[in-house]
């Protein structure tokens, strides 16, 4: 073995923060989003949200932070107009390419200042975006502003406190997770969805959750497989600890004993009629 630590990571890294939107490699972000979208738990919540929103042919439907545009295409099949708001130029271009002649539209924009008039949107969804936003409660109020009275909204997000990672040295894992949570804008987003919707004056109409369980390949390619690289970069673990962590995951996966799971939450709400 060489003197250099073997950091053992085969996957892709990327940032979904607004501040990084222009600088990101869209191919890499699309790859990560495709991996996420392939998880049954993610599809379960996407389907649930679409059922809650129930867009109709007269409706304008909006997906905030639309990524590769899969959900805007799904909305376009049911709604009169479907618009994805996405600040990353590369992801927007990829979404336009994938959407083809579906009728889905994509616009530049920030969730904190949506490019829509007051009360002009009938249904709105936002998935795994609020965790990247500095002031998510203000963003949800912005969503409430654009919803028309009687309009419907569905939010989906992860709560990173629900992450279970096995195996790992508890002390090393604690430092890695603490570092990860400190780097995230809003890591406990999942538990806050309900309160933020209620705080924006909306009436909760449904809530559910789904847990995704990482495959054994995830030990080498998924979120967990890059945590040690970030923690090492942040100086909270040593190269030897990073290598031991990665090697422990790989060995466990080789024996079919690796575990990582994470719970995502979805909440729907309705905007009451104007008084
Ligand atoms: C994890 S991805 C989720 C994408 C998509 N909603 C999905 O379910 O596949 C987060 C998305 O939010 C976008 N995003 C980040 N900050 C944003 C902001 N302030 N306003 C709107 N979108 C934002 C990112 O560019 C990225 O496309």
């Amino acid at each position: 073995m060489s003197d250099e630590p073997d950091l053992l990571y085969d996957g892709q890294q990327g940032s979904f923060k607004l501040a990084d939107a222009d600088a990101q490699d869209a191919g890499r972000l699309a790859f990560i989003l495709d991996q996420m979208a392939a998880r049954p738990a993610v599809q379960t919540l996407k389907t649930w949200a679409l059922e809650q929103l129930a867009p109709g042919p007269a409706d304008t439907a909006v997906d905030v932070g639309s990524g590769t545009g899969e959900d805007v295409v799904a909305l376009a099949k049911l709604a009169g107009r479907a618009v994805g708001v996405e600040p990353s130029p590369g992801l927007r271009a990829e979404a336009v390419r994938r959407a083809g002649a579906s009728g889905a539209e994509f616009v530049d924009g920030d969730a904190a200042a949506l490019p829509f008039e007051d009360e002009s949107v009938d249904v709105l969804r936002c998935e795994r975006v609020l965790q990247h936003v500095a002031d998510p409660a203000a963003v949800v109020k912005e969503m409430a502003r654009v919803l028309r009275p009687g309009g419907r909204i569905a939010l989906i997000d992860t709560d990173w406190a629900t992450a279970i990672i096995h195996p790992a040295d508890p002390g090393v894992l604690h430092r890695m997770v603490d570092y990860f949570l400190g780097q995230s804008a809003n890591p406990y987003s999942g538990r806050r969805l309900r309160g933020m919707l209620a705080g924006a004056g909306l009436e909760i109409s449904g809530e559910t959750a789904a847990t995704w369980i990482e495959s054994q390949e995830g030990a080498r390619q998924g979120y967990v497989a890059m945590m040690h690289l970030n923690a090492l970069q942040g100086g909270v673990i040593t190269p030897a600890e990073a290598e031991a962590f990665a090697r422990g995951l790989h060995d466990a996966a080789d024996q079919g004993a690796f575990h990582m799971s994470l719970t995502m939450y979805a909440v729907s709400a309705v905007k009451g009629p104007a008084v």
Side-chain angles (χ1 to χ4, degrees):
M1 216 165 125
S2 82
D3 292 343
E4 285 298 309
D6 174 5
L7 293 173
L8 301 168
Y9 179 64
D10 303 336
Q12 306 256 350
Q13 282 185 284
S15 159
F16 289 108
K17 288 184 186 147
L18 178 64
D20 300 330
D22 289 332
Q24 284 296 303
D25 174 343
R28 178 176 299 183
L29 295 185
F31 172 86
I32 295 170
L33 290 179
D34 287 346
Q35 279 196 325
M36 284 298 293
R39 297 172 201 281
V42 173
Q43 287 301 323
T44 296
L45 293 189
K46 284 184 188 297
T47 302
W48 182 87
L50 194 59
E51 284 167 5
Q52 293 289 307
L53 294 172
D59 288 343
T60 293
V62 169
D63 183 24
V64 177
S66 50
T68 59
E70 167 186 342
D71 300 295
V72 190
V73 171
L75 290 170
K77 288 183 182 148
L78 302 166
R81 185 179 179 218
V83 186
V85 178
E86 174 53 56
S88 157
L91 281 177
R92 265 200 323 276
E94 179 63 10
V96 167
R97 191 185 68 74
R98 292 189 186 192
S102 66
E105 299 169 39
F106 298 92
V107 298
D108 188 12
D110 178 358
L114 290 169
F116 302 104
E117 300 289 321
D118 292 359
E119 303 189 348
S120 61
V121 171
D122 300 283
V123 303
L124 186 149
R125 76 184 300 286
C126 180
E127 175 176 345
R128 288 177 288 128
V129 176
L130 293 168
Q131 64 184 288
H132 303 292
V133 162
D135 189 350
V139 163
V140 176
K141 285 189 178 136
E142 173 66 357
M143 293 171 180
R145 174 188 72 78
V146 304
L147 266 191
R148 71 160 170 78
R152 302 175 292 288
I153 180 169
L155 305 179
I156 299 175
D157 220 337
T158 301
D159 193 303
W160 283 95
T162 65
I164 297 174
I165 298 167
H166 172 82
D169 175 273
V172 172
L173 185 61
H174 187 73
R175 272 179 277 141
M176 284 176 31
V177 169
D178 258 11
Y179 180 73
F180 174 80
L181 296 177
Q183 294 290 103
S184 310
N186 181 25
Y188 309 121
S189 191
R191 76 188 64 178
R192 298 182 61 194
L193 298 177
R194 177 179 243 282
M196 290 191 294
L197 287 165
L202 303 171
E203 207 174 297
I204 305 296
S205 50
E207 59 187 330
T208 191
T211 299
W212 57 263
I213 300 178
E214 188 66 281
S215 68
Q216 296 302 297
E217 288 73 43
R220 290 182 162 86
Q221 296 176 348
Y223 271 102
V224 71
M226 63 173 122
M227 281 183 86
H228 67 296
L229 300 183
N230 294 337
L232 183 62
Q233 213 169 28
V236 298
I237 60 172
T238 67
E241 286 172 334
E243 182 171 354
F245 173 75
R247 201 166 287 289
L249 295 188
H250 290 203
D251 290 348
D254 290 343
Q255 294 157 32
F258 163 68
H259 176 92
M260 194 244 167
S261 56
L262 185 65
T263 299
M264 299 171 58
Y265 297 86
V267 186
S268 60
V270 179
K271 183 165 174 174
V275 282

